[in-house]
């Protein structure tokens, strides 16, 4: 479909997806003409040994065709995104156990925050067995334990297809001998849509699970139990788009694609949450990929993490990602993001033509990834910030800055998303400024209601920015400069600056942060882990913010006649309050007691410190109860 500011009739390709499907058809036949009757087994189609193994296990004690109400009917899920999902995510298109360890170590050794690792395909023994391939991921349980020991969560890639023939056309992919060993059992019990009809998709040829069947859900969910004891979430790709016959025949009669998609994403989230209350699924909201028309996939209430993926790694792809994110935000999706730098390294209209790496695209996209609730590095090129083809040091410094920024502002992002998910009528964390018919060429959005982000969407490094009316703004890069009035237009220029993009923050505001450091300027160097509050008091007014969690903390700010008053309802950890004061600071009081200037000692700041460069005041407080700060 045509879109404002887009090229009409664009069709993305999954890094050779169109070529892959043509080859797949030649290998396994035409999906629309090939059906596997309900009575057939996978052994009839090849791979008898694999089927016998599955049959031996299933016949030992469990009837694979029976319904177990507990497995078939997990509680209705809601998208309550856990706090851990707001940390930076990293992923490679193809990996191994050792490569995953090295990937994580590369970030850790450089002091760059990592909160989540995604294992994309291939990682299983077949599509889909829910079992890690011991050749590709030896010691899978040990790997998971190592990651969890570093406070890093693990998410694995899946679809809802079970294959009769499987292949990976990516360089370094796996070879598969025969069908997935659970296919025969599923066909025998009638657990697939369209009577077990086989459909060709980008990982082979298989049947789509019937999520409308209690027996099929029982069978499918039982296979996940061991995996769900290890992993923290699923990245669910859109295999349903390749089901050959739609409307499809199910246990609940004829169903359209939307109904099937919603059942798929709902069930995968519901069963995961039934085993782990902090489980997430990573799903597509609005997405227009490949030869498919744009559509919504999972419902917002079934989308704890929503990513718009498979964009090409150029300015066209960046704008596509913004368009999809904006559409999704308007539809009520909360935890949104895209693949930093773009997933595809080939032209979507000519797969023989590679898209070269562009340092500026990568830099501007990384900033946008950090300036949103969901930040993920992922792409076919498997780039790391320290292995980019050019401008490597600048891009490494840029990525480190934005990863720290995202980690430090995660408490604010989590709090706003949590309220929007649990309290009807609360504002969303990401809100487009302009109306939909004015997005193209603009793309400004508000983040958490406190930040104005004005993306750079071409290589000029410059743009004009109209500041929203109704409040006063500060440039994040010039906090000491005079405030900027709302409803005025400013010009931003980031020539030869790989880190910056136009970013403004409400001049009278308060918001939480965590583990601030000198790199972002939120706290002085050398501090041990701590809570924090960013207080911007360049304009008079009153504001408040509640940090969500097991023990919520509320901060109330008043700026009046040059005096800043901040009341905190609690301090669960050592706390740093970072203040942009109205003028020169003469005194700092905590609960009426004057504080002395101080420096960091043993990882703590007890007293206050003024940063001459930024003009910020850092005030350190020990853990404790309520407190009131006054800055004069």
């Amino acid at each position: 479909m045509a879109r404002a500011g887009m090229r009409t009739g664009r069709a993305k390709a999954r890094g050779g997806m169109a070529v892959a499907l043509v080859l797949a058809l030649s290998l396994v036949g035409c999906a629309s003409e090939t059906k596997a009757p309900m009575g057939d087994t996978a052994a009839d189609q090849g791979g008898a040994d694999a089927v016998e193994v599955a049959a031996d296990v299933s016949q030992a004690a469990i009837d694979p065709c029976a319904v177990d109400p507990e497995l078939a009917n997990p509680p209705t899920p809601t998208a309550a995104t856990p706090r851990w999902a707001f940390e930076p995510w990293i992923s490679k298109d193809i990996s191994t156990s050792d490569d995953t360890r090295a990937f994580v170590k590369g970030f850790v050794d450089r002091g760059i925050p990592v909160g989540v690792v995604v294992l994309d395909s291939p990682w299983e023994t077949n599509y889909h067995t829910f079992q890690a391939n011991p050749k590709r991921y030896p010691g899978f349980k040990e790997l998971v334990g190592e990651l969890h020991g570093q406070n890093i969560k693990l998410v694995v890639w899946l679809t809802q297809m079970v294959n009769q023939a499987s292949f990976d056309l990516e360089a370094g992919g796996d070879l598969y001998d025969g069908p997935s060993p659970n296919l025969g059992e599923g066909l025998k019990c009638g657990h697939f849509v369209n009577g077990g009809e086989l459909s060709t998709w980008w990982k082979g040829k298989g049947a789509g699970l019937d999520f409308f069947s209690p027996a099929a859900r029982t069978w499918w969910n039982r296979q996940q139990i061991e995996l769900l004891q290890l992993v923290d979430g699923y990245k669910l790709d859109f295999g349903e788009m390749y089901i050959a016959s739609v409307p499809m025949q199910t246990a609940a009669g004829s169903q359209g694609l939307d109904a099937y998609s919603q059942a798929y994403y709902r069930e995968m989230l519901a069963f995961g949450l039934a085993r782990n209350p902090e489980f997430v699924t990573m799903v597509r909201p609005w997405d227009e990929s490949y030869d498919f028309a744009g559509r919504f996939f999972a419902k917002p209430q079934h989308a704890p993490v929503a990513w718009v993926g498979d964009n090409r790694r150029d300015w066209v792809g960046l704008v596509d990602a913004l368009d999809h994110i904006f559409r999704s935000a308007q539809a009520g999706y909360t935890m949104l993001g895209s693949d930093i730098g773009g997933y595809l390294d080939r032209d979507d209209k000519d797969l023989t033509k590679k898209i070269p790496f562009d340092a500026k695209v990568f830099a501007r996209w990384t900033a946008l990834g950090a300036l949103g609730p969901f930040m993920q590095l992922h792409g076919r090129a498997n780039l790391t910030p320290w292995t980019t083809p050019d401008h490597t040091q600048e891009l490494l410094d840029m990525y480190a800055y934005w990863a720290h920024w995202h980690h430090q502002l995660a408490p604010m992002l989590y709090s706003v998303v949590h309220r929007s998910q649990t309290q009807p009528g609360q504002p969303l964390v990401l809100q487009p400024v302009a109306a939909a018919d004015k997005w193209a060429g603009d793309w400004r959005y508000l983040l958490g209601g406190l930040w104005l982000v004005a993306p750079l969407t071409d290589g000029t490094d410059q743009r004009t920015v109209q500041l929203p009316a109704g409040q006063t703004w500060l440039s994040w890069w010039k906090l000491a400069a005079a405030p900027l009035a709302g409803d005025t237009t400013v010009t931003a220029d980031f020539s030869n600056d790989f880190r910056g993009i136009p970013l403004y923050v409400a001049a009278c505001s308060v918001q939480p942060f965590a583990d601030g450091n000198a790199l972002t300027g939120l706290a002085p160097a050398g501090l041990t882990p701590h809570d924090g509050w960013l207080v911007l008091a360049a304009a008079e007014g009153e504001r408040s913010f509640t940090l969500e969690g097991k023990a919520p903390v509320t901060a109330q700010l008043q700026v009046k006649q040059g005096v800043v008053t901040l009341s905190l309802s609690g301090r669960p950890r050592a706390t740093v309050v970072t203040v942009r004061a109205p003028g020169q600071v003469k005194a700092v009081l905590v609960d009426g007691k004057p504080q002395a200037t101080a420096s960091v000692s043993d990882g703590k700041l007890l007293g206050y410190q003024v940063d001459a460069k930024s003009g910020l005041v850092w005030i350190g407080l020990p853990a404790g109860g309520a407190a009131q700060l006054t800055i004069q």
Side-chain angles (χ1 to χ4, degrees):
M1 62 180 291
R3 298 182 305 208
M6 306 293 145
R7 289 185 293 162
T8 304
R10 290 187 58 248
K12 301 176 193 169
R14 187 186 179 104
M17 164 115 22
V19 174
L21 289 180
V22 169
L23 179 57
L25 287 170
S26 67
L27 290 172
V28 297
C30 178
S32 62
E33 296 176 356
T34 306
K35 296 191 177 183
M38 293 292 293
D40 287 357
T41 66
D44 296 327
Q45 304 160 36
D49 292 341
V51 175
E52 287 175 3
V53 172
D56 289 342
V57 173
S58 65
Q59 291 172 7
I62 298 171
D63 180 357
C65 304
V67 176
D68 181 325
E70 183 177 353
L71 293 178
N73 302 297
T76 301
T78 56
T81 310
R83 169 64 178 80
W84 62 260
F86 292 83
E87 297 297 325
W89 294 43
I90 61 173
S91 175
K92 283 191 173 183
D93 201 44
I94 192 164
S95 191
T96 64
S97 286
D98 288 344
D99 182 66
T100 299
R101 291 185 176 95
F103 191 32
V104 171
K105 187 175 186 296
F107 288 89
V108 173
D109 287 352
R110 292 168 174 83
I112 301 174
V114 172
V116 186
V117 172
V118 180
L119 300 186
D120 215 292
S121 65
W123 69 271
E124 296 168 277
T125 54
N126 209 318
Y127 300 110
H128 285 293
T129 61
F130 303 102
Q131 297 175 4
N133 185 336
K135 295 181 179 179
R136 180 171 290 278
Y137 287 99
F140 184 69
K141 290 183 180 180
E142 289 75 14
L143 173 64
V144 176
E146 291 173 26
L147 294 174
H148 285 170
Q150 299 176 76
N151 200 27
I152 297 172
K153 303 294 186 180
L154 183 68
V155 172
V156 295
W157 174 96
L158 291 168
T159 75
Q160 45 33 275
M161 304 293 285
V162 180
N163 273 5
Q164 183 252 358
S166 298
F167 51 77
D168 298 323
L169 294 182
E170 300 94 340
D174 289 338
L175 298 175
Y176 303 89
D177 183 14
S180 184
N182 52 355
L183 177 67
E185 195 172 73
L187 288 170
K188 180 179 179 180
C189 294
H191 291 331
F192 303 111
V193 298
N194 295 329
E197 177 183 40
L198 300 178
S199 302
T200 298
W201 59 297
W202 73 94
K203 287 291 183 178
K205 189 173 188 177
L209 192 87
D210 185 354
F211 289 98
F212 297 94
S213 164
R217 296 197 302 270
T218 298
W219 177 78
W220 185 249
N221 290 341
R222 181 180 289 119
Q223 296 175 72
Q224 302 175 53
I225 291 174
E226 184 176 353
L227 179 63
L228 288 172
Q229 294 173 351
L230 299 173
V231 303
D232 304 285
Y234 291 155
K235 176 181 178 179
L236 299 177
D237 225 333
F238 62 171
E240 76 269 31
M241 294 300 293
Y242 295 85
I243 291 177
S245 299
V246 179
M248 60 194 78
Q249 297 309 306
T250 75
S254 180
Q255 299 289 338
L257 183 59
D258 286 346
Y260 181 83
S261 289
Q262 291 163 17
Y264 163 33
Y265 299 112
R266 179 180 64 245
E267 184 66 21
M268 298 300 285
L269 176 61
F271 192 68
L273 286 173
R275 316 298 296 190
N276 174 2
E278 288 205 333
F279 182 84
V280 304
T281 51
M282 175 183 170
V283 299
R284 294 177 191 260
W286 168 273
D287 194 274
E288 183 178 347
S289 293
Y290 318 129
D291 297 323
F292 304 119
R295 61 183 289 259
F296 291 104
F297 287 78
K299 286 186 174 181
Q301 61 266 37
H302 303 148
V305 176
W307 108 104
V308 300
D310 303 84
N311 307 104
R312 45 189 274 183
R313 64 175 186 179
D314 58 10
W315 298 112
V316 171
L318 187 151
V319 170
D320 266 357
L322 283 168
D323 176 75
H324 293 184
I325 288 171
F326 277 28
R327 289 172 181 263
S328 301
Q330 281 205 329
Y333 294 84
T334 51
M335 179 66 165
L336 285 163
S338 62
D339 297 323
I340 286 173
Y343 174 80
L344 289 174
D345 57 357
R346 291 187 178 274
D347 189 313
D348 56 346
K349 287 186 172 293
D350 181 0
L351 293 174
T352 65
K353 181 180 178 183
K354 294 199 70 172
I355 297 176
F357 174 79
D358 187 316
K360 286 185 178 178
V361 172
F362 183 71
R364 307 315 184 202
W365 210 323
T366 300
L368 292 179
L371 292 167
F374 175 56
M375 178 183 185
Q376 177 183 247
L377 176 68
H378 177 62
R380 281 186 58 82
N382 282 344
L383 290 177
T384 67
W386 54 90
T387 59
T388 54
D390 53 72
H391 297 88
T392 304
Q393 189 60 51
E394 296 103 313
L395 292 177
L396 176 58
D397 294 343
M398 174 278 304
Y399 187 92
Y401 174 86
W402 284 115
H404 278 281
W405 196 101
H406 189 78
H407 164 72
Q408 289 168 32
L409 271 294
M412 181 276 288
L413 298 169
Y414 166 72
S415 296
V416 178
V417 169
H418 178 78
R419 285 192 286 272
S420 69
Q421 291 175 340
T422 59
Q423 302 175 26
Q426 290 292 312
L428 299 178
V429 69
L430 195 153
Q431 297 174 299
V433 173
D437 61 350
K438 302 259 198 275
W439 287 346
D442 183 359
W443 304 115
R444 292 171 302 150
Y445 62 91
L446 293 173
L447 183 66
L450 301 169
W451 300 84
L452 174 68
V453 184
L456 295 172
T457 57
D458 58 35
T460 63
D461 303 321
Q462 301 176 349
R463 66 165 293 170
T464 58
V465 181
Q466 184 178 7
L467 302 174
Q471 62 181 315
T472 306
W473 299 91
L474 291 169
S475 168
W476 175 243
W477 309 110
K478 300 176 182 178
L479 287 179
L484 303 166
D487 203 25
T488 58
T489 299
V490 296
T491 299
D493 187 344
F494 289 91
S495 300
N496 301 315
D497 180 351
F498 281 95
R499 184 182 68 174
I501 69 168
L503 178 62
Y504 306 87
V505 60
C508 180
S509 59
V510 57
Q511 58 191 291
F513 66 86
D515 305 328
N517 60 31
L519 179 62
T520 60
L522 287 177
L527 288 176
T528 54
H530 58 274
D531 292 333
W533 290 91
L534 175 61
V535 176
L536 299 168
E540 293 200 346
E542 296 183 1
R543 298 289 186 271
S544 67
F545 193 103
T546 297
L547 169 62
E548 301 292 346
K550 293 181 180 179
V553 177
T554 296
Q556 294 181 314
L557 170 67
Q558 181 187 70
V559 186
K560 186 175 182 180
Q561 296 180 349
V563 177
V564 180
T565 304
L566 179 71
S567 299
L568 297 175
S569 65
R571 291 165 287 152
R573 295 198 300 172
T575 300
V576 173
V577 179
T578 300
V579 183
R580 194 288 199 188
Q584 185 175 359
V585 174
K586 300 176 182 178
V588 174
L589 293 82
V590 176
D591 294 330
K593 298 179 181 180
Q595 302 296 295
T597 58
S599 57
V600 175
S601 177
D602 294 328
K604 300 188 183 305
L605 175 66
L606 297 177
Y608 75 94
Q609 184 179 142
V610 178
D611 179 48
K613 182 178 180 181
S614 66
L616 293 173
V617 182
W618 297 315
I619 306 167
L621 302 170
Q628 184 178 81
L629 283 70
T630 304
I631 299 97
Q632 299 174 340

